[in-house]
Amino acid sequence: NAGVTQTPKFRILKIGQSMTLQCTQDMNHNYMYWYRQDPGMGLKLIYYSVGAGITDKGEVPNGYNVSRSTTEDFPLRLELAAPSQTSVYFCASMTSTDTQYFGPGTRLTVL
Amino acid sequence: GENVEQHPSTLSVQEGDSAVIKCTYSDSASNYFPWYKQELGKRPQLIIDIRSNVGEKKDQRIAVTLNKTAKHFSLHITETQPEDSAVYFCAARTGSQGNLIFGKGTKLSVKP
């Protein structure tokens, strides 16, 4: 199993640009999550999904959108990028015993 | 909603010493408390977890204790080694469908 994979690893955006962060898991987990990690601030939940076709907002959803058309994929869309969205983004999926497996992360810089 | 406070923010110990990281939570309905280790530039990885029906759990050199009355839980690492150096995050979850709320992390440095 590849586990949770994310692309790209790094990206630099200009203010106002848009992009999609990709996340795929091959463990057939229903629950998937998107977090952002700012220095010294821990992990903040952006959006989550409990299964294909079902998504919901987390703590910090503003400026982001998600979709979940398949069990495997959970892309995160940034519209009109702002400097405040500079962060490291982690995708995760969760087992039936509550363990969350994280992807390798995407480091995003908005200039 | 749930709030998780983690202390200390940084911790430096000598190799072989013990390290203790403490977290408090606000929601008495929280029932699952995992600890994650994140090495520099890497993803967070689960190292141990505890549920609200258990007071203590051990796995080799690491242990977690839970005090539901006081609403705090702690990570204990014994016989620390340089490879234990990392940032450690605690988290709490409320209810079976609840999401994890993370503490801000503790940077542990183990000096040889």
Side-chain angles (χ1 to χ4, degrees), chain A residues 31 37 48 97-98 102-103, chain B residues 38 43 51 93 97 99:
Chain A
Y31 285 72
Q37 184 176 36
Y48 66 100
T97 55
D98 303 317
F102 287 81
Chain B
Q38 186 178 30
R43 71 190 82 186
R51 300 184 189 276
R93 187 194 68 187
Q97 299 290 333
N99 299 312

Side-chain angles (χ1 to χ4, degrees), chain A residues 6-108:
Chain A
Q6 292 182 237
T7 57
K9 292 184 179 179
F10 305 94
R11 183 73 185 269
I12 298 175
L13 284 181
K14 294 182 179 179
I15 294 172
Q17 288 186 320
S18 300
M19 75 165 294
T20 298
L21 283 67
Q22 301 292 344
C23 175
T24 300
Q25 54 95 5
D26 61 359
M27 297 175 282
N28 201 34
H29 294 162
N30 287 322
Y31 285 72
M32 294 188 73
Y33 305 85
W34 273 107
Y35 296 93
R36 60 176 288 172
Q37 184 176 36
D38 301 323
M41 294 300 293
L43 293 150
K44 296 288 187 182
L45 182 64
I46 305 170
Y47 269 95
Y48 66 100
S49 170
V50 301
I54 307 170
T55 63
D56 209 345
K57 296 177 181 179
E59 300 174 77
V60 290
N62 292 345
Y64 307 94
N65 274 301
V66 294
S67 59
R68 184 92 182 272
S69 57
T70 66
T71 299
E72 294 78 21
D73 300 308
F74 190 39
L76 177 72
R77 178 79 177 165
L78 277 73
E79 303 282 0
L80 299 174
S84 61
Q85 293 178 305
T86 293
S87 189
V88 180
Y89 291 84
F90 287 100
C91 177
S93 68
M94 189 173 76
T95 70
S96 58
T97 55
D98 303 317
T99 300
Q100 291 197 17
Y101 289 98
F102 287 81
T106 294
R107 186 175 296 273
L108 175 67

